Amino acid sequence: MIRKFISRVLGRNRAGKHGQPAVIGVAQHGLQRDDISRGCQRTIETLQENGYQAYIVGGAVRDLLAGLTPKDFDVATNATPEQVRHCFRRSRIIGRRFQIVHVNIGAETIEVTTFRGHHGEQGGNKAQTDEQGRVLRDNVFGSQAEDAARRDFTVNALYYDPTSETIVDYHHGVADLRQKTLRMIGDPKTRYREDPVRMLRAVRLAAKLSLSIDPEARRPIREMGSLIENVPPSRLFDEMLKLLTSGHAVRCVTQLREEGLHHGLLPLLDVILDQALGERFVMLALETTDRRVREGRPISPGFLFATLLWHEVLAKWEPLKASGEPAIPSLFQAMDEVLDVQAEKLAITRRIAGDIKDIWALQPRFEQRSGKRPYGVLQQPRFKAGYDFLLLRVESGEIEREVGEWWTDFLHASDEARAAMLLPQAPGALKKRRRRRRPTADAGQNSSLPE
Ligand code: ATP
Ligand code: MG
């Protein structure tokens, strides 16, 4: 208790005593040099041969220590982007807010970042912020200690040097990881204000690494959650996509709800999770996604967002149908309304929005099981995704099990068996279809589904 108090007074979180990092040897950390990709090793060796410092940093060190396979390896160095570029023939500087260098070694691309400086009162260099305190620009080079201090969590501020096989640890990240704690570097409230996305990162990283969020970092989330509304939609979309495709989406979404982050902030989770049927459907979809990610199978963002938003579409579509509007045009109207609302918060890319619409637009077509129509549905380029979506609707109890079974049988049946499966045409169906053709074609222009 007293030790904890003293360490807090000494600013244990912000930097080690006198800013001196712990240097942890291989005997204690146990990382193997060969866990690092060849390209990354080469990049670091080359920078060091040229007289610069170079380390693997961030998520890769953290994941290796936690026994997970890193998604990618990022390198941090004291060389400027120009200096890095001069060390590698196959490299280029990528613009954006802060310049980084992409180094190509074989088929690998290694991201090399120059140590970033520290803003704020202590740094002297005040960062540009919006009126809520969100940092808009932070593009100053700095020392390794400053670079460590501007990272979000202690477990993300570890620097591994494969040459000496040591980990440089300014914020007790190795110990926190061992104790399964996700601890913010610095004052959590300030850090959330600087960048509200850190609240979502806290939830995602805790779920991914089975860490518990340190109470000091957890407590402010509930009251500060609304700050996420100021985050640019494209950034929010990227972060949501990361969260939902992390392989731990169920855990992440459950935790988002516990932290009160699903209300207001994410319209797509707002309504759905509060309806029994919607929740069942979304959770089933997320379970399927998690399973696929863990099996290393590809997942489609379009499919994922189509599932998350489906019950909002239903909520708009059903009253339209009940008021006598024709089914298909009113479905397209509901789809557009739902996607428009999302666009304000989450910048769903045009291509993904196209995929989402294709999947939704196929759903009523699964109801048609007579004549030539089922054959047409099979030919649709997005049939498989639409069919998987149909099965989720069945599984969640939204529609009759029999419809899903019919399509599964039809998909696998021989030509003769298919013909025998077709349901009889309803009397007058032809007439009805003719009457409805014009609005269907009009509505179809909004979708990327080929007619
Ligand atoms: P993963 O790659 O598994 O999604 P990550 O922690 O590597 O997780 P990245 O977005 O790749 O996440 O970021 C790399 C590193 O950059 C982080 O480990 C962290 O040190 C730093 N970082 C990323 N986002 C932030 C942020 N919003 N605030 C402060 N530091 C950040
Ligand atoms: Mg990463």
Side-chain angles (χ1 to χ4, degrees):
M1 185 71 191
I2 290 177
R3 234 192 22 230
K4 205 168 151 200
F5 174 69
I6 292 174
S7 66
R8 204 180 290 160
V9 170
L10 292 177
R12 169 196 188 273
N13 281 345
R14 199 81 203 177
K17 205 176 162 203
H18 309 306
Q20 288 305 311
V23 179
I24 301 171
V26 64
Q28 287 143 285
H29 65 66
L31 291 197
Q32 298 299 311
R33 199 179 283 148
D34 289 343
D35 293 337
I36 309 300
S37 76
R38 270 305 300 149
C40 183
Q41 289 187 42
R42 284 285 314 134
T43 305
I44 290 181
E45 279 160 23
T46 305
L47 285 166
Q48 291 177 345
E49 280 159 17
N50 281 277
Y52 301 113
Q53 295 171 26
Y55 300 85
I56 297 149
V57 68
V61 185
R62 176 200 69 209
D63 288 355
L64 284 173
L65 284 173
L68 305 176
T69 310
K71 277 200 311 233
D72 42 37
F73 294 93
D74 296 329
V75 170
T77 178
N78 63 347
T80 64
E82 272 304 324
Q83 288 168 330
V84 175
R85 234 199 56 62
H86 280 102
C87 294
F88 301 93
R89 209 169 38 84
R90 290 175 60 216
S91 65
R92 63 197 176 102
I93 296 180
I94 310 291
R96 288 193 308 171
R97 227 169 58 152
F98 188 82
Q99 286 192 328
I100 56 174
V101 186
H102 277 178
V103 174
N104 293 304
I105 309 238
E108 271 185 76
T109 303
I110 314 293
E111 239 176 53
V112 182
T113 313
T114 305
F115 293 146
R116 275 197 227 182
H118 181 61
H119 283 286
E121 269 76 345
Q122 291 123 322
N125 237 325
K126 197 115 181 72
Q128 204 182 322
T129 60
D130 68 8
E131 56 278 23
Q132 275 84 23
R134 189 168 67 84
V135 173
L136 300 174
R137 295 172 64 80
D138 62 343
N139 44 4
V140 184
F141 299 142
S143 65
Q144 186 184 28
E146 287 172 327
D147 187 83
R150 58 156 294 285
R151 292 179 184 272
D152 44 8
F153 302 102
T154 63
V155 297
N156 282 345
L158 300 170
Y159 299 77
Y160 176 58
D161 173 6
T163 310
S164 63
E165 297 193 285
T166 52
I167 290 180
V168 182
D169 180 0
Y170 286 86
H171 299 279
H172 305 263
V174 173
D176 283 341
L177 196 57
R178 290 225 171 101
Q179 285 158 16
K180 300 222 147 273
T181 302
L182 190 70
R183 195 188 311 275
M184 182 70 85
I185 298 172
D187 169 47
K189 284 192 184 168
T190 313
R191 304 305 309 277
Y192 290 142
R193 221 170 284 122
E194 286 169 0
D195 181 7
V197 167
R198 289 174 185 148
M199 292 183 247
L200 298 177
R201 285 178 57 84
V203 168
R204 175 167 65 86
L205 294 174
K208 170 175 168 173
L209 296 150
S210 307
L211 304 180
S212 50
I213 306 173
D214 170 50
E216 273 189 50
R218 188 173 172 198
R219 219 174 294 120
I221 292 182
R222 196 162 286 276
E223 62 192 79
M224 299 182 81
S226 61
L227 288 180
I228 295 181
E229 285 172 28
N230 304 322
V231 174
S234 60
R235 176 117 196 272
L236 204 52
F237 177 72
D238 286 350
E239 189 51 38
M240 277 309 289
L241 200 55
K242 271 192 170 188
L243 190 142
L244 295 168
T245 60
S246 65
H248 306 277
V250 169
R251 240 198 285 170
C252 284
V253 168
T254 311
Q255 179 109 30
L256 283 180
R257 292 173 81 181
E258 270 172 32
E259 306 305 340
L261 281 182
H262 72 294
H263 269 294
L265 124 83
L266 301 171
L268 63 89
L269 293 177
D270 218 5
V271 193
I272 321 164
L273 290 179
D274 293 336
Q275 311 164 349
L277 201 60
E279 160 159 18
R280 184 119 195 264
F281 181 76
V282 167
M283 286 301 174
L284 273 172
L286 296 181
E287 276 165 27
T288 314
T289 310
D290 283 351
R291 210 167 32 242
R292 287 185 72 99
V293 172
R294 290 179 197 192
E295 288 166 1
R297 287 154 68 201
I299 46 155
S300 126
F303 186 86
L304 197 56
F305 282 101
T307 57
L308 291 174
L309 298 171
W310 176 241
H311 276 256
E312 290 210 43
V313 173
L314 286 182
K316 291 196 190 300
W317 186 28
E318 256 137 32
L320 286 172
K321 273 197 297 186
S323 72
E325 295 282 327
I328 305 295
S330 56
L331 170 62
F332 278 88
Q333 187 186 328
M335 283 167 28
D336 284 339
E337 281 177 20
V338 168
L339 286 175
D340 283 350
V341 171
Q342 291 306 312
E344 288 167 21
K345 294 248 165 153
L346 288 183
I348 296 181
T349 60
R350 214 177 253 280
R351 206 181 53 115
I352 294 178
D355 289 348
I356 296 174
K357 285 186 174 187
D358 287 352
I359 292 168
W360 288 341
L362 270 170
Q363 297 312 308
R365 300 180 67 172
F366 286 114
E367 286 164 27
Q368 302 162 348
R369 290 180 280 155
S370 56
K372 291 207 173 74
R373 289 173 164 206
Y375 296 97
V377 174
L378 283 185
Q379 298 308 315
Q380 292 299 327
R382 304 285 299 163
F383 169 79
K384 188 61 182 47
Y387 164 73
D388 286 344
F389 195 89
L390 177 78
L391 295 186
L392 276 178
R393 293 173 63 207
V394 169
E395 206 52 43
S396 71
E398 182 203 327
I399 48 173
E400 295 294 324
R401 190 158 285 280
E402 182 260 332
V403 181
E405 284 167 359
W406 189 92
W407 277 98
T408 304
D409 292 343
F410 190 72
L411 180 60
H412 298 107
S414 65
D415 285 349
E416 294 99 86
R418 276 183 184 166
M421 284 178 71
L422 297 174
L423 304 187
Q425 298 254 14
L430 208 60
K431 234 167 83 192
K432 229 160 93 196
R433 196 163 72 211
R434 282 226 179 91
R435 249 195 282 126
R436 280 167 52 171
R437 183 154 262 166
R438 194 198 302 261
T440 309
D442 285 346
Q445 287 174 358
N446 294 329
S447 109
S448 43
L449 255 188
E451 280 297 302

